[in-house]
Amino acid sequence: GGLRIGRDGRIHAEYSDNPSTLRMACQNPNLQNLPRVFSGDQLDEWQRLSNMVRSLIVADERCVLLERDYSAIEAVLVAYFARWPEGIRLAKLGIHAYLASHVLGRPADLAWSDADLKAYFKEIKKSEDPKVVAVYNGSKRTTHLSGYGGTPRKMHLAEPDIFPTEKYAKWLQDIYWEVAAPVKRWQMQTQLEAHQNGYLRNPFHYIHRFTHVFRNVKENGQWVRKPGDQANEVLAFLPQSTAAGIIKEAMLRLYADDRTRPWLRLQVHDSLVLNVPQTQVEEVDAVLKLEMERPVEALPLPASYGMGAQLIIETDGKRGPRWGEMR
């Protein structure tokens, strides 16, 4: 058992484009879906065990592992496709905490500065009040699940600890649709487009064909149109395939740069992991940040947004001797 390694002591995973959203997949072994990493001084036994798997992967001698991850890239892209500039801003600052502020009855004001919003969102996210923690976790899952067509029933069945009843899930989702109405409109328009044309094309010209966006069901003697087997795939395609296009272009630029090509090691969904000599970490991280945060030419922005000519996705960086102990 365990992770298979080669004679050189390295793991040689295989990549493919199998997912229908055209994101990269990983197999033999699957390094993209290892247990998540937990941080902090007080970790329970399960959290320590989860970290253990990634902590088996270490940097070379006199090197450190360096990782950069696109921040909330799918939330930013959902807002971009929904033509919701406030949503782009919120996705970058903390849309989960923004929803939580409404659920808690003390909503953040979009007239506040970015610094004030970020500070308020951090206060909610880092709160030790059990009620606030529960509301934040519920808001985070509501945002993720609703963005890709999750219904209150599916939310309750999938995560009963967070959504103890279907009624509670619906209450949270109703608040989300109040603050994110443009996303709801985008979902309906995107499903109709895929149904009428039979396909969607993302800004990088990836094409996905759809044949079962809707289905007809007879209710009370009348035919009613309901979401079909591919209704949620339609909603996931544009954000996820566009995120794939963004990171693939960044990888090509980084591979063409002598300062970063030798150290590239792993792509995990929306992040890149490099094995970098300690003496070159700062230089490599600067190049990594520059290339990953380069304005995306395929995603132009209206001048009215006041956010520049093209969309920029920000990144978070961390480093350490072991993959499970990076800070």
Side-chain angles (χ1 to χ4, degrees), residues 259-270:
R259 294 170 295 179
T260 48
R261 180 176 61 252
W263 321 121
L264 290 167
R265 291 293 179 269
L266 184 65
Q267 187 262 0
V268 184
H269 300 309
D270 304 320

Side-chain angles (χ1 to χ4, degrees), residues 3 14 33 45 89 127 155 190 213 217 251 268 318 320:
L3 298 174
E14 301 171 9
N33 290 301
E45 183 179 1
R89 180 187 180 212
S127 174
M155 292 162 63
T190 302
V213 183
V217 178
M251 289 166 64
V268 184
K318 52 187 176 182

Side-chain angles (χ1 to χ4, degrees), residues 159-216:
E159 304 196 38
D161 291 340
I162 294 178
F163 307 107
T165 66
E166 186 176 337
K167 182 179 179 180
Y168 179 67
K170 183 179 185 304
W171 178 67
L172 283 178
Q173 191 175 67
D174 286 345
I175 297 176
Y176 174 69
W177 290 136
E178 286 181 14
V179 302
V183 175
K184 186 69 171 178
R185 291 194 295 270
W186 166 75
Q187 289 184 340
M188 296 174 63
Q189 293 166 356
T190 302
Q191 288 175 333
L192 285 172
E193 179 184 347
H195 173 69
Q196 292 168 355
N197 297 338
Y199 70 91
L200 290 175
R201 186 195 304 269
N202 85 349
F204 293 93
H205 303 290
Y206 301 177
I207 292 179
H208 192 318
R209 302 190 183 279
F210 299 96
T211 56
H212 297 88
V213 183
F214 296 111
R215 59 190 173 92
N216 293 320

Side-chain angles (χ1 to χ4, degrees), residues 271-283:
S271 73
L272 296 175
V273 181
L274 292 79
N275 182 54
V276 185
Q278 294 174 352
T279 57
Q280 299 180 42
V281 172
E282 298 303 331
E283 178 187 17

Side-chain angles (χ1 to χ4, degrees), residues 26 43 54 70 157 205 261 298:
C26 186
L43 299 181
R54 294 195 189 208
Y70 282 110
L157 293 175
H205 303 290
R261 180 176 61 252

